[in-house]
């Protein structure tokens, strides 16, 4: 089976490559923008024609959340128009498209969100990702094609910068750290997300019918609680102080609640277990 991974140099792509390599007869082509620019329809067509994938995993995305407030056109071009190009090519070539989306398609006013809750983006980045989801549903939905939209949140893992590494670095640079304590979510380990993605693939259309899935590590916390656990597992004594998000203003609004309820997909282990595993075995 041939797997095409767009955004192939990113953190999630790194985990997917790592896990897909263990599959029997898996041929993996992970490419970045220089090989496949998803915003360019001809570039997408070329890679489909040449590689002839069976499955496309779209990890390409504009993810600069604050910058998107000023660059909404760029974010929409990548996260919506680019996804539209992939969905069209997937339909034409009868290929399964797996697309990764975000908790930011919701405004965070509810304590948790189900897969079928209405999208209500909280910021420009969330809007661009919501538009991408809509493009997939419009093109591949109602049994016209094959797709999984996987919403996830608070990603970290090997192969890229992430919150865990940032906190570890700050613990060495500062005498104490202040971290937001009124935003709730589920830290998600890319390795676990990749494993759950493969479980979807292994039972395509059976136990896991095509559609939207919420895949995050189990349980939730605030950024402050997350940091405390990172330091606990790392035996770091740098003091951590909880603050309100109003004390740390940023250009883009963040959801108060980013908890994605997994009502139908493979279950992931607790975020605490995953963070411990990452710190002990993947650094």
């Amino acid at each position: 089976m041939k797997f095409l991974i767009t955004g192939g140099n990113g953190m999630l792509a790194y985990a997917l490559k790592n896990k897909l390599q263990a599959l029997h007869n898996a041929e993996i082509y992970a490419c970045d923008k220089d090989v496949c620019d998803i915003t360019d329809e001809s570039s997408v067509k070329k890679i489909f024609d040449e590689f002839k994938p069976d499955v496309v995993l779209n990890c390409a995305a504009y993810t600069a959340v604050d910058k998107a407030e000023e660059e909404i056109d760029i974010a929409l071009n990548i996260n919506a128009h680019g996804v539209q190009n992939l969905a069209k090519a997937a339909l034409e070539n009868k290929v399964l498209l797996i697309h990764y989306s975000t908790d930011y398609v919701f405004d965070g006013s509810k304590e948790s969100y189900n897969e079928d809750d209405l999208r209500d983006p909280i910021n420009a980045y969330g809007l661009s990702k919501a538009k991408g989801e809509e493009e997939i549903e419009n093109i591949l939905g109602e049994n016209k094609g094959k797709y999984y939209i996987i919403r996830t949140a608070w990603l970290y893992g090997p192969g890229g910068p992430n919150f865990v590494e940032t906190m570890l670095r700050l613990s060495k640079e500062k005498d104490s750290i202040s971290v937001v304590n009124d935003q709730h979510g589920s830290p998600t380990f890319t390795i676990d997300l990749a494993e759950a993605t493969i479980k979807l693939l292994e039972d395509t259309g059976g136990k896991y019918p095509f559609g939207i899935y919420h895949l995050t590590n189990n349980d939730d916390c605030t950024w402050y609680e997350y940091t405390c656990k990172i330091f606990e597992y790392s035996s770091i004594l740098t003091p951590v102080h909880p603050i309100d998000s109003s004390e740390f203003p940023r250009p883009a609004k963040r959801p108060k609640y980013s908890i994605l309820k997994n009502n139908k997909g493979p279950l992931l282990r607790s975020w605490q277990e995953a963070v411990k595993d990452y710190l002990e075995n993947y650094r």
Side-chain angles (χ1 to χ4, degrees):
M1 184 174 283
K2 292 185 172 184
F3 297 92
L4 173 65
I5 304 175
T6 57
N9 291 333
M11 186 170 58
L12 179 54
Y14 178 94
L16 287 167
K17 286 183 285 186
N18 178 281
K19 291 298 176 181
L20 287 170
Q21 284 169 355
L23 296 181
H24 181 62
N25 289 332
E27 186 177 344
I28 305 161
Y29 187 15
C31 58
D32 220 330
K33 183 181 177 181
D34 57 339
V35 175
C36 179
D37 180 356
I38 66 169
T39 67
D40 182 346
E41 190 171 0
S42 63
S43 178
V44 171
K45 185 178 186 307
K46 184 173 184 287
I47 204 75
F48 271 72
D49 289 344
E50 292 180 353
F51 184 59
K52 295 180 170 54
D54 299 297
V55 179
V56 175
L57 300 107
N58 181 37
C59 300
Y62 180 105
T63 58
V65 176
D66 288 322
K67 209 170 179 182
E69 296 298 308
E70 298 178 353
E71 296 184 347
I72 181 61
D73 290 343
I74 298 173
L76 284 168
N77 191 36
I78 297 168
N79 293 344
H81 177 63
V83 173
Q84 180 189 61
N85 288 336
L86 289 173
K88 286 180 177 178
L91 179 64
E92 182 180 341
N93 292 274
K94 298 180 181 178
V95 167
L96 169 60
L97 174 62
I98 299 177
H99 172 69
Y100 294 91
S101 192
T102 173
D103 53 301
Y104 283 20
V105 300
F106 302 117
D107 68 2
S109 59
K110 288 176 56 178
E111 290 192 0
S112 64
Y113 288 89
N114 297 314
E115 293 88 348
D116 59 356
D117 279 337
L118 294 178
R119 289 175 280 255
D120 187 13
I122 192 169
N123 52 37
Y125 164 70
L127 174 64
S128 69
K129 295 295 285 186
K131 293 291 186 184
E133 290 188 10
E134 290 170 3
E135 292 290 356
I136 291 174
E137 290 178 326
N138 290 338
I139 295 166
L140 298 173
E142 298 179 350
N143 299 315
K144 294 192 291 286
K146 301 178 291 184
Y147 74 92
Y148 289 120
I149 294 170
I150 298 175
R151 293 188 186 127
T152 191
W154 294 23
L155 285 184
Y156 69 93
N162 61 69
F163 183 81
V164 178
E165 297 300 326
T166 298
M167 291 300 104
L168 293 176
R169 174 177 55 79
L170 289 176
S171 74
K172 298 175 182 177
E173 297 175 356
K174 296 180 175 294
D175 294 331
S176 66
I177 301 172
S178 297
V179 185
V180 169
N181 195 38
D182 60 351
Q183 295 171 12
H184 305 255
S186 301
T188 303
F189 188 20
T190 52
I191 299 294
D192 290 356
L193 179 57
E195 288 178 351
T197 299
I198 290 172
K199 288 179 182 177
L200 290 183
L201 281 168
E202 289 174 340
D203 195 21
T204 299
K207 183 179 178 181
Y208 304 121
F210 300 127
I212 295 176
Y213 287 78
H214 287 174
L215 297 180
T216 62
N217 280 107
N218 193 37
D219 206 356
D220 62 87
C221 61
T222 66
W223 292 107
Y224 165 75
E225 292 167 338
Y226 184 15
T227 303
C228 289
K229 192 60 68 173
I230 293 166
F231 284 11
E232 176 189 332
Y233 290 150
S234 304
S235 299
I236 291 172
L237 300 179
T238 304
V240 185
H241 305 295
I243 61 170
D244 189 89
S245 54
S246 62
E247 300 176 61
F248 188 58
R250 303 174 78 173
K253 292 181 180 179
R254 263 62 172 182
K256 183 174 182 180
Y257 294 100
S258 289
I259 300 163
L260 302 174
K261 298 284 284 186
N262 179 349
N263 296 301
K264 58 182 185 177
L267 296 178
L268 283 67
R269 59 182 164 171
S270 73
W271 70 264
Q272 296 95 329
E273 290 178 80
V275 168
K276 194 171 190 292
D277 187 15
Y278 171 69
L279 290 168
E280 292 179 350
N281 298 306
Y282 289 90
R283 299 190 65 247

